[in-house]
Amino acid sequence: MTTQTTTPEAFGDTTPARAGLIGIPENAARALATGGAILTIISTFLAWTWTADFPGDLTVYGYPGGLQVLVLIGGLLTTLFSLASYSVKGFGWLVPAGADGAIKFAALATFATAWYTVIAISVNLGGVVNLEPGGYVVAVASLATLLGALALPFEHPEPDPIDPDDTSWEHTKHKLGHQWQTVKAAFATGTARPAPALPSYAEILIIVAVLALALAVFTYGIGTEYDELFIGFLITAGLGFAALNKSGLVAQASQITARHQNITICGAFVAAALFPFTQTDDQYATLGVYILIFATVALGLNIVVGLAGLLDLGYVAFLGVGAYAAAMVSGSPSSPFDVHFPFWAAALVGCAASLVFGVLIGAPTLRLRGDYLAIVTLGFGEIFRITANNLDGTSGPDITNGSNGISSIPNLDILGFDFGAVHNILGVDIGRFANYFFLMLIITAIVVLVFRRSGDSRIGRAWVAIREDETAALAMGINGFRVKLIAFAVGASLAGLAGTVQAHVTYTVTPEQYLFAGAIPPNSAFLLAAVVLGGMGTIGGPLIGASLLFLIPNKLQFLGDYQLFAFGLALILLMRFRPEGMIPNRRRQLEFHEEAEAPTVLTKAGA
């Protein structure tokens, strides 16, 4: 008795694969990509230049350093995906959605980082004569890897339309083949049905590994010591993430974290709390606390924009209201009020002030929709800044000290813990900014809790209904004005809470800190970009988007006038190839990938 093997071809998926960009046979192309990746790995253990004038210890034989480490990572990814494409035992789990697309992106990451390094050495040192043999080897090997990857076949084209009246066996095969293509598209876009669940302990270990990897990548990126290394990091991290996404690993990790949301959120905060212990001084903890402030405000804006669908272009003003209110009652000699509230009271004052302003601005304007509402909120942001600038005792009452702002804001002292002093925790010296990092982490946890609980509540479902179709929501009995006003008030109060910490971290609050747009966040334009870039309506999306939008401009300051140009170009590319955001809400993902089959159960608003 013979057993018939069930294959895609048996179901009508008989359309031949299109050739790659280069006319090399598939087997030869796969061998070229694999061999080139292995040779690239070997080249990272050779010297790439003879002089230490180029940073990164690229003159040493025997171990990689600097940019060589990034090329090594790209080569390892390419090699692993290539082995998986050969169906080598033990590597199949790496490519649940197919290997060829992942090989292409991994090879591109390796090639781009290697050639960027070779070109940077040649330009900085005055020619290719400054390259050692390892530099030539990595250039040739990475080019061969990319050529082999580009020669691999593309995905199968979509099958021809199906005639619904045809009941023949050929029609049945064609229909099953179409369903096979749909499944492939679902895996490619991350919307496939959940994979069979592993044992709980195994999935928890996977979550721990993912969070540890995220902490390692963030720590490495924020700690890059020179400009060339950070650019290489961006190239490798961006294209490496694309390779992992193409392989289907990102989709599988998302499914696992969705099944263990509470564990994932708690683990993420534990990983973030470990960040200061990875630093030897306050240099990068400074960026860490500012990133948390920016991310927390972006998460508050996500309630207004991501859940309720209200386009707010003046949201940074609520951050300023909270910061000014807290600064005035925190004992600053520049404050018009001779009071010194404890932090919990100052935080309540900042939240309350922002909430009141949110209601005052929202009550007369939230009956507007779309572009009209955006223009009104943009005007509010500018009015706040100009008003704070004029309340200097000359143009108006002396409340905000005008353009000089409220300065000399004292450090916090909570239950005897001085946030301005260095403390030794577990044998590690934790400085001022690390202290505020931990405080801001607690506030971020509070904001995440509010976002998640409100998103899962009845009012959260009303927000989503308003966002999707306000007219239909009103017809179903939802009080649109009241629901939108609540969203505005909650979002404003969360921004004010973050502003209370910002006032103490920066020592000084001035009107120029709260612009609509500028080179350095936080400002309204960057906050909105963080929400859209990270993923509207999700928890992790704005946090990751804000981290990238704050970190990258700070690291690209060496570009000078071209800083915003390069940054804007990166945003355009990301929105072109991942318009739903880095961590998309399932509904938005389906909007941008209509070819994917809808899952049986949509995730919650905060998933």
Side-chain angles (χ1 to χ4, degrees):
M1 180 177 178
T2 59
T3 302
Q4 184 177 1
T5 303
T6 302
T7 63
E9 290 76 11
F11 290 132
D13 188 15
T14 57
T15 306
R18 287 180 281 183
L21 294 178
I22 304 171
I24 302 176
E26 181 179 348
N27 291 336
R30 205 173 299 280
L32 180 61
T34 306
I38 294 174
L39 186 58
T40 300
I41 293 173
I42 296 174
S43 70
T44 60
F45 292 87
L46 305 175
W48 288 6
T49 182
W50 62 272
T51 174
D53 291 341
F54 190 87
D57 295 330
L58 304 185
T59 63
V60 182
Y61 285 86
Y63 68 89
L67 286 160
Q68 289 175 325
V69 175
L70 299 175
V71 176
L72 173 62
I73 293 173
L76 287 173
L77 275 179
T78 309
T79 303
L80 292 175
F81 289 140
S82 298
L83 292 176
S85 71
Y86 282 111
S87 299
V88 176
K89 185 176 181 181
F91 290 92
W93 62 271
L94 284 171
V95 286
D100 290 352
I103 292 173
K104 287 182 173 68
F105 277 105
L108 181 59
T110 307
F111 170 81
T113 309
W115 277 71
Y116 165 74
T117 306
V118 169
I119 293 173
I121 292 174
S122 302
V123 171
N124 291 353
L125 301 182
V128 295
V129 296
N130 294 283
L131 294 174
E132 284 287 284
Y136 296 103
V137 172
V138 74
V140 174
S142 61
L143 178 60
T145 305
L146 181 63
L147 292 177
L150 293 178
L152 294 175
F154 291 106
E155 295 178 358
H156 294 281
E158 289 294 329
D160 296 332
I162 302 172
D163 182 3
D165 297 327
D166 189 356
T167 58
S168 65
W169 167 241
E170 290 299 323
H171 161 74
T172 303
K173 290 175 61 180
H174 195 182
K175 181 178 180 180
L176 291 174
H178 185 274
Q179 292 174 351
W180 173 264
Q181 294 294 337
T182 301
V183 171
K184 288 174 63 179
F187 269 110
T189 57
T191 57
R193 289 186 175 93
L198 296 172
S200 295
Y201 71 88
E203 293 192 336
I204 292 174
L205 289 177
I206 291 175
I207 292 173
V208 171
V210 170
L211 293 176
L213 177 63
L215 176 62
V217 171
F218 178 77
T219 302
Y220 186 91
I222 203 173
T224 48
E225 299 175 351
Y226 49 95
D227 302 332
E228 293 86 355
L229 183 60
F230 182 72
I231 293 179
F233 166 76
L234 286 182
I235 295 172
T236 303
L239 294 175
F241 177 82
L244 294 174
N245 184 56
K246 271 292 185 181
S247 70
L249 288 176
V250 174
Q252 284 202 347
S254 299
Q255 292 173 10
I256 292 174
T257 55
R259 287 196 287 265
H260 303 277
Q261 276 198 2
N262 292 332
I263 294 176
T264 302
I265 293 175
C266 293
F269 279 104
V270 171
L274 294 176
F275 169 72
F277 295 98
T278 65
Q279 308 300 310
T280 56
D281 54 43
D282 250 9
Q283 178 182 1
Y284 300 119
T286 305
L287 286 178
V289 68
Y290 284 123
I291 286 173
L292 274 183
I293 293 173
F294 185 32
T296 303
V297 180
L299 191 58
L301 177 61
N302 198 24
I303 292 179
V304 179
V305 176
L307 293 184
L310 306 175
L311 185 56
D312 188 348
L313 298 181
Y315 187 77
V316 74
F318 298 123
L319 175 69
V321 170
Y324 266 103
M328 290 178 183
V329 298
S330 296
S332 168
S334 302
S335 171
F337 309 110
D338 188 17
V339 294
H340 190 173
F341 287 6
F343 173 71
W344 64 267
L348 290 178
V349 169
C351 285
S354 296
L355 187 147
V356 169
F357 271 85
V359 173
L360 291 178
I361 298 302
T365 61
L366 286 178
R367 300 187 187 278
L368 301 174
R369 298 187 188 182
D371 299 338
Y372 303 102
L373 177 62
I375 293 173
V376 170
T377 55
L378 175 61
F380 164 65
E382 290 300 298
I383 289 172
F384 164 77
R385 183 180 61 83
I386 295 172
T387 301
N389 212 24
N390 289 335
L391 297 180
D392 57 357
T394 302
S395 302
D398 187 8
I399 298 177
T400 63
N401 204 24
S403 59
N404 294 323
I406 300 178
S407 59
S408 302
I409 301 172
N411 282 305
L412 291 174
D413 191 319
I414 302 177
L415 300 177
F417 186 90
D418 185 1
F419 281 74
V422 177
H423 301 273
N424 187 277
I425 301 176
L426 301 177
V428 179
D429 288 335
I430 302 298
R432 176 180 183 271
F433 286 102
N435 296 331
Y436 281 106
F437 179 89
F438 288 123
L439 175 63
M440 200 61 224
L441 195 62
I442 295 173
I443 292 178
T444 303
I446 295 173
V447 175
V448 168
L449 179 64
V450 172
F451 180 91
R452 190 178 181 192
R453 298 292 293 176
S454 59
D456 292 343
S457 67
R458 181 178 180 180
I459 191 69
R461 293 192 294 271
W463 287 337
V464 174
I466 290 289
R467 180 192 69 193
E468 296 298 326
D469 192 327
E470 184 172 352
T471 302
L474 295 176
M476 295 302 294
I478 295 176
N479 188 331
F481 174 75
R482 182 176 66 87
V483 167
K484 291 191 289 185
L485 187 60
I486 292 174
F488 225 66
V490 172
S493 60
L494 294 180
L497 180 60
T500 61
V501 180
Q502 186 205 31
H504 291 86
V505 170
T506 58
Y507 286 126
T508 302
V509 180
T510 60
E512 287 70 25
Q513 295 175 337
Y514 309 105
L515 300 171
F516 167 72
I520 299 295
N523 54 63
S524 292
F526 272 75
L527 287 171
L528 184 60
V531 174
V532 177
L533 172 68
M536 295 173 59
T538 65
I539 293 176
L543 299 179
I544 293 179
S547 300
L548 292 176
L549 289 181
F550 193 94
L551 177 62
I552 294 176
N554 274 277
K555 288 289 188 176
L556 292 182
Q557 290 184 10
F558 66 93
L559 293 177
D561 294 338
Y562 296 97
Q563 173 188 351
L564 286 180
F565 171 78
F567 185 62
L569 182 62
L571 290 182
I572 291 173
L573 292 175
L574 185 58
M575 287 292 97
R576 165 61 182 84
F577 294 106
R578 198 169 177 84
E580 68 270 26
M582 300 190 66
I583 302 182
N585 178 277
R586 185 60 56 86
R587 292 181 178 89
R588 287 184 57 80
Q589 194 171 36
L590 291 174
E591 290 174 5
F592 287 103
H593 299 282
E594 295 179 354
E595 73 277 7
E597 183 179 340
T600 54
V601 179
L602 294 177
T603 56
K604 295 180 181 179

